[in-house]
Amino acid sequence: MTTMAQREYKALQQGWKFTKGNPENAERPSFDDASWESVSVPHDWAISGPFDPKGDGNTGKLPWKGEGWYRTGMDLAQADANKRIYLIFDGVMAFPKVYVNGKRAGSWDYGYNSFYLDVTDHVIFGQKNTLAVYTNTTEHDSRWYPGAGIYRKVQLLKVDPVHLGIWGNHITTPIVKPHYADVRISSTVLNMSSRADSVKVLQTILDPKGNELQSKEIIKYLNPKEEKNLEVTLKVLDPQRWDVENPNLYATKTQVFFGDKLVDETVSTFGIRTTRFTANDGFYLNDKRVQLKGVNLHHGHGPLGAAFHPRAMERQLEIMKSMGVNAIRNSHNVAAPELLELCDRMGLLFFNEIFDKYDAKADITDTTNFEEFAHRNIKNFVLRDRNHPSVFLWSVGNEIGDVQWNIDNGFQKLHTMVNYVKKYDHTRPVTLVNDNMQSASMRHFDYYDIHAWNYGRRYRLARQMEPDKAVVISESASTLSTRGFYEFPLPEDKTEVTGSLQVSSYDFNAPSWAEIADDDFMWQQDEPYIAGEFVWTGFDYLGEPTPYTGMTAKEMNLGEEAAARSSYFGIVDLVGIPKDRYYLYKSYWKPEEKTIHILPHWNWEGREGEVTPVFVYTNGDCAELFINGKSQGKQCKNPVSMNSTERFRLMWKDVTYEPGEVKAVVYKDGAVIGEKTIKTAGEVSMIKLSPDRTTIMANGIDLSYILVEAFDKDGNPAPLADNALQIEVNGTGYLAGVGNGNPQSLTPFKGNMVNLFYGKAMIIIGSGFKKGLTNVSVRGEGLNEVRTQLEIQ
């Protein structure tokens, strides 16, 4: 619970009951829900499965279609009778209907967006109130696993009748100079009381260390049921700017006085920075050119499903930053608000997108009033997110064919969306993300500010027709691979795959409509006007299992069960274990940090004497390769080659396999910067548990990710280990999920067993709400039991 002056937030996490289906009268307080499942929120009712082997791999083979009900109690004291009561939902999948004490308090349609309801007239003070939420995903459409239910947090807000509106502060910095910045704060204040009086808003700027800098007030007269914007401008001297290296965050403390009484207080963070795009030289942050090294991230979290855990998101961002990422695109729907807070704090630029399509994927149905829907959803989206310094670009949609081709009033819809974004935020550019190059001939780019195109240099025509607009590659690469898996010979065509149902991690595969990572590196080197790229994708995700979709499986006569249940696109796998490609990106995006990575592994029994190519991903420019001490020659990157891989990889394609040791000695500017060795491993002898955190918080949503790895008796990683492991968890924590990055695995995410997949797996421990110790033990056939302990505090 968070309390400031007269404002009190309470997260409604515990005490929920849930059932699938649509039982009659479930909204009524008298309804008996004793037999329902006890759950905490956030909650995804589909992620526990079971998987359907013959199900739709495009949405994860999970049972997310259906109806469900949630019920909980809300205690409201008699002393709260003079308050306004709001419920704030960060996201409910989908079409939620909200009931308080049996009466419908409101509803929403778009399952990814945040919304709030004033439920004051529906609650009874001095007793427990019944909150019931109906969810229905049957009308929702998706190209990936969307999740189901109340998958983001719910908050109860108690506030004085005279108060700052939800998302009511709009903070801009219209003037930013080296020695000062103007901070303009416009506050929407509501008088929901029965009397008129003067309202004073006092704004106090806090510096990044929390010190008060200066204050300014404004007074206006508000009548009952009236709403007004009260705006002030304050100066900050010698501002500490927000940027990707130093994400300095200021805040404003907003105090609302009604008459002479303090009735509301809140703190809003913001950053002082400038951003601009140039047509011929890309993106500038604080007048410094920044190449966007971005990734696309879906809203799901692998074994956790769509249920949002801030730590799961923070960990994703940490892994991406360690690779050199400086920007994130949420693909393709409104993100959880915590994602933007994390980007602000961690120094990541944010490409903020609201819709995938303007159809059932956005919960737009045949009966939807498009104008009203667009206004309502964009208003919430922009008001919620516009104070975040990380947000540098708004997107009104992704790959919308009818909009690109102006079919069924496509341009009119585009114009509507863009205008509403600009209505609520005039400080940032707006774009539409496109995928059909020839549609640029229709000049849809006249309606928005930035060229944003996916794959294959499809921005070329738009750039030619309108060279005065900047270009962003909003989706790049879509390289395909399976962590730890390699096939021979190397593919001659990027679309070449086999019946193995996995994709070789030599990083040469991509769909017909996309490309490998190196191509995008090369295009940006050769076309420096490009502001940067957003790779598809940072993490694997449930659904969209290209190339092993149901259709492909049928075409290859593999049967529908051969379709995978998760993607192969990720730079890291579904549980966050890096693929080889992670090191390729890091070697290019983070050249200041030493990277030496050898692939493949060196356990190839039966391939003795056969050609087994060896690649080295490094920030060095040359390397010499040794097999069992014998030199295989020195290779250097060729920065002018038009074969992109020769610019960014070191490749020995004619190495013949013999067991033993592979060593790479790496040079930069003629000097040795390091070396790396891998060895042929013996039989699996032991496993090791490595928690990313051994202390987590008893807040019900914190997590520890425990990496499981197999080794031989000499401590060499065992790259082919696939042992079945049993997991036991005792103590105050719980087993939140398991996984191993195998896109073909139908092992439940919520079970107590997992198979090693190419030597590795992941165990996710949730904190629960009780403090204490949690013991995790793992055992497998022929392996000694291993244990680790976590403290939950």
Side-chain angles (χ1 to χ4, degrees):
M1 186 179 297
T2 304
T3 304
M4 293 190 67
Q6 302 299 310
R7 176 173 287 242
E8 182 180 308
Y9 287 96
K10 181 182 180 182
L12 301 181
Q13 281 181 272
Q14 301 183 72
W16 289 87
K17 304 289 280 187
F18 167 76
T19 189
K20 289 182 74 172
N22 186 16
E24 191 175 0
N25 301 323
E27 76 279 7
R28 294 184 179 178
S30 59
F31 184 87
D32 183 3
D33 58 19
S35 63
W36 291 15
E37 180 184 0
S38 296
V39 301
S40 62
V41 166
H43 175 251
D44 178 352
W45 55 251
I47 193 61
S48 57
F51 288 104
D52 179 358
K54 296 184 178 181
D56 185 0
N58 289 309
T59 52
K61 296 192 174 187
L62 286 163
W64 63 274
K65 284 269 190 182
E67 299 170 280
W69 277 90
Y70 293 83
R71 288 168 54 90
T72 192
M74 300 184 297
D75 285 313
L76 293 170
Q78 189 61 47
D80 293 325
N82 64 336
K83 301 285 183 67
R84 301 302 296 184
I85 308 300
Y86 290 93
L87 290 171
I88 307 171
F89 294 84
D90 285 350
V92 182
M93 187 62 69
F95 295 98
K97 295 181 176 65
V98 180
Y99 299 84
V100 176
N101 296 324
K103 303 293 184 182
R104 181 136 154 209
S107 60
W108 200 255
D109 39 17
Y110 183 32
Y112 289 99
N113 210 355
S114 297
F115 67 97
Y116 62 90
L117 302 171
D118 183 339
V119 298
T120 310
D121 296 339
H122 297 275
V123 300
I124 304 171
F125 296 96
Q127 69 175 53
K128 179 167 282 192
N129 294 259
T130 300
L131 170 61
V133 181
Y134 167 73
T135 67
N136 180 4
T137 58
T138 60
E139 298 301 313
H140 181 76
D141 187 24
S142 186
R143 298 191 293 149
W144 50 82
Y145 174 72
I150 307 179
Y151 67 103
R152 293 177 184 160
K153 74 177 183 294
V154 181
Q155 292 174 287
L156 173 70
L157 170 62
K158 305 175 190 176
V159 70
D160 191 90
V162 180
H163 58 276
L164 182 73
I166 293 174
W167 313 318
N169 270 341
H170 186 197
I171 307 169
T172 58
T173 53
I175 299 176
V176 179
K177 302 289 186 182
H179 60 295
Y180 84 95
D182 278 356
V183 179
R184 184 181 296 159
I185 309 165
S186 177
S187 297
T188 302
V189 178
L190 289 74
N191 179 7
M192 302 299 290
S193 75
S194 58
R195 69 182 177 93
D197 206 334
S198 60
V199 171
K200 179 175 76 174
V201 173
L202 175 65
Q203 304 285 6
T204 303
I205 299 290
L206 310 176
D207 72 12
K209 293 184 179 179
N211 301 311
E212 293 190 0
L213 296 182
Q214 62 164 304
S215 300
K216 194 169 185 179
E217 66 182 45
I218 182 172
I219 300 174
K220 284 191 177 182
Y221 195 83
L222 260 71
N223 292 310
K225 312 305 179 188
E226 189 175 16
E227 172 185 316
K228 281 187 178 178
N229 291 321
L230 284 75
E231 183 179 289
V232 298
T233 299
L234 300 92
K235 276 188 169 48
V236 173
L237 302 181
D238 302 319
Q240 302 174 57
R241 297 200 190 192
W242 183 95
D243 61 34
V244 292
E245 285 87 20
N246 298 291
N248 295 302
L249 290 173
Y250 287 79
T252 181
K253 180 170 66 176
T254 303
Q255 294 173 301
V256 180
F257 297 80
F258 192 47
D260 58 358
K261 180 184 177 185
L262 176 64
V263 294
D264 192 17
E265 180 179 325
T266 189
V267 172
S268 306
T269 58
F270 66 97
I272 298 173
R273 90 289 185 272
T274 63
T275 64
R276 60 186 169 93
F277 283 91
T278 66
N280 295 318
D281 198 29
F283 175 72
Y284 282 78
L285 176 63
N286 297 320
D287 294 320
K288 177 183 176 184
R289 191 185 189 284
V290 174
Q291 190 75 10
L292 299 169
K293 304 170 184 176
V295 294
N296 285 270
L297 292 177
H298 268 307
H299 75 298
H301 294 279
L304 304 175
F308 187 84
H309 295 251
R311 172 55 194 164
M313 191 75 257
E314 181 183 50
R315 174 177 173 265
Q316 284 199 18
L317 298 181
E318 288 172 351
I319 292 168
M320 294 295 96
K321 275 183 69 75
S322 73
M323 186 179 71
V325 164
N326 63 13
I328 302 295
R329 176 180 174 227
N330 60 307
S331 46
H332 305 281
N333 308 89
V334 181
E338 292 91 343
L339 172 53
L340 288 90
E341 294 164 8
L342 287 164
C343 288
D344 288 348
R345 195 176 77 229
M346 297 172 72
L348 289 160
L349 293 156
F350 196 74
F351 182 144
N352 204 359
E353 189 159 75
I354 184 169
F355 297 119
D356 181 28
K357 304 283 189 288
Y358 297 165
D359 58 20
K361 298 172 191 65
D363 297 322
I364 296 173
T365 68
D366 292 340
T367 61
T368 300
N369 180 316
F370 187 86
E371 182 85 19
E372 187 275 338
F373 175 92
H375 187 190
R376 174 167 45 83
N377 275 284
I378 285 185
K379 181 179 180 181
N380 280 18
F381 168 62
V382 177
L383 263 59
R384 194 197 74 175
D385 292 351
R386 63 187 176 181
N387 293 335
H388 290 282
S390 56
V391 176
F392 72 102
L393 181 63
W394 302 106
S395 168
V396 296
N398 173 71
E399 295 186 349
I400 310 173
D402 52 352
V403 170
Q404 292 176 71
W405 287 107
N406 196 20
I407 298 168
D408 191 23
N409 299 315
F411 282 6
Q412 181 180 330
K413 292 176 181 176
L414 172 61
H415 191 50
T416 296
M417 292 286 188
V418 172
N419 280 354
Y420 280 134
V421 174
K422 291 182 178 290
K423 174 181 173 69
Y424 293 106
D425 178 39
H426 65 279
T427 69
R428 298 173 178 87
V430 183
T431 193
L432 172 75
V433 172
N434 302 282
D435 66 331
N436 193 300
M437 187 171 78
Q438 294 305 315
S439 73
S441 64
M442 305 286 290
R443 296 192 66 92
H444 45 72
F445 49 71
D446 287 336
Y447 290 85
Y448 52 87
D449 306 309
I450 304 294
H451 294 307
W453 288 82
N454 296 345
Y455 308 114
R457 298 184 65 237
R458 295 180 187 171
Y459 48 81
R460 299 193 305 278
L461 179 58
R463 168 73 178 178
Q464 178 184 348
M465 296 184 67
E466 182 50 82
D468 292 333
K469 288 187 175 179
V471 173
V472 173
I473 305 174
S474 36
E475 287 176 32
S476 63
S478 274
T479 309
L480 303 166
S481 65
T482 300
R483 178 187 56 77
F485 173 80
Y486 309 89
E487 279 188 311
F488 309 95
L490 299 177
E492 295 184 5
D493 181 270
K494 65 184 179 183
T495 63
E496 183 182 319
V497 294
T498 71
S500 66
L501 304 181
Q502 303 292 354
V503 185
S504 177
S505 198
Y506 277 107
D507 299 320
F508 279 132
N509 288 99
S512 59
W513 37 264
E515 61 271 356
I516 59 174
D518 318 60
D519 289 342
D520 287 287
F521 296 164
M522 179 174 70
W523 296 333
Q524 289 168 87
Q525 284 185 343
D526 294 349
E527 298 172 302
Y529 63 83
I530 298 171
E533 66 173 310
F534 290 81
V535 181
W536 193 266
T537 51
F539 271 59
D540 275 336
Y541 55 94
L542 286 166
E544 285 197 314
T546 306
Y548 295 110
T549 63
M551 182 181 298
T552 304
K554 288 179 181 178
E555 290 172 355
M556 297 178 71
N557 296 315
L558 298 172
E560 58 188 329
E561 295 186 24
R565 51 85 165 135
S566 57
S567 76
Y568 298 79
F569 294 120
I571 298 171
V572 302
D573 71 16
L574 191 71
V575 293
I577 303 173
K579 302 179 185 179
D580 294 293
R581 209 169 349 127
Y582 167 95
Y583 301 96
L584 177 61
Y585 278 99
K586 184 178 179 181
S587 69
Y588 184 59
W589 278 354
K590 214 172 185 182
E592 72 280 4
E593 192 169 307
K594 184 170 72 175
T595 299
I596 305 174
H597 178 74
I598 302 172
L599 65 130
H601 61 73
W602 212 238
N603 273 59
W604 297 107
E605 184 177 355
R607 286 191 59 82
E608 290 81 1
E610 294 189 42
V611 172
T612 307
V614 176
F615 292 2
V616 173
Y617 295 158
T618 178
N619 65 318
D621 42 42
C622 298
E624 186 172 8
L625 186 73
F626 298 87
I627 306 294
N628 293 327
K630 182 179 178 181
S631 176
Q632 307 297 302
K634 194 173 185 180
Q635 296 279 356
C636 294
K637 298 174 185 176
N638 181 356
V640 298
S641 175
M642 295 311 294
N643 181 339
S644 65
T645 57
E646 294 176 358
R647 294 194 192 189
F648 307 105
R649 312 185 192 195
L650 299 174
M651 301 176 287
W652 291 259
K653 294 185 178 180
D654 298 321
V655 173
T656 56
Y657 174 68
E658 59 182 66
E661 178 184 275
V662 181
K663 182 170 76 170
V665 180
V666 176
Y667 298 80
K668 192 168 189 176
D669 299 325
V672 174
I673 63 168
E675 61 180 55
K676 179 76 177 288
T677 300
I678 62 173
K679 296 180 179 180
T680 304
E683 293 293 319
V684 178
S685 175
M686 55 185 171
I687 53 175
K688 178 184 177 183
L689 304 181
S690 301
D692 69 338
R693 300 154 84 224
T694 55
T695 301
I696 58 178
M697 305 302 295
N699 59 10
I701 52 174
D702 208 359
L703 303 166
S704 177
Y705 284 77
I706 303 175
L707 176 64
V708 188
E709 299 173 283
F711 298 89
D712 70 6
K713 62 181 178 59
D714 297 319
N716 296 306
L720 302 178
D722 59 359
N723 306 59
L725 305 176
Q726 295 290 324
I727 305 157
E728 187 174 335
V729 178
N730 294 296
T732 55
Y734 69 98
L735 185 59
V738 297
N740 59 17
N742 180 2
Q744 291 286 337
S745 174
L746 299 184
T747 301
F749 289 134
K750 300 297 183 180
N752 63 352
M753 70 85 59
V754 67
N755 280 69
L756 292 171
F757 182 64
Y758 291 108
K760 299 181 181 182
M762 192 70 67
I763 299 168
I764 309 172
I765 301 298
S767 63
F769 295 94
K770 295 181 180 178
K771 297 180 180 180
L773 297 177
T774 293
N775 295 294
V776 181
S777 62
V778 180
R779 64 184 186 277
E781 188 175 351
L783 298 170
N784 290 332
E785 184 176 22
V786 291
R787 301 180 181 88
T788 192
Q789 188 176 80
L790 309 176
E791 182 180 357
I792 299 174
Q793 63 181 28

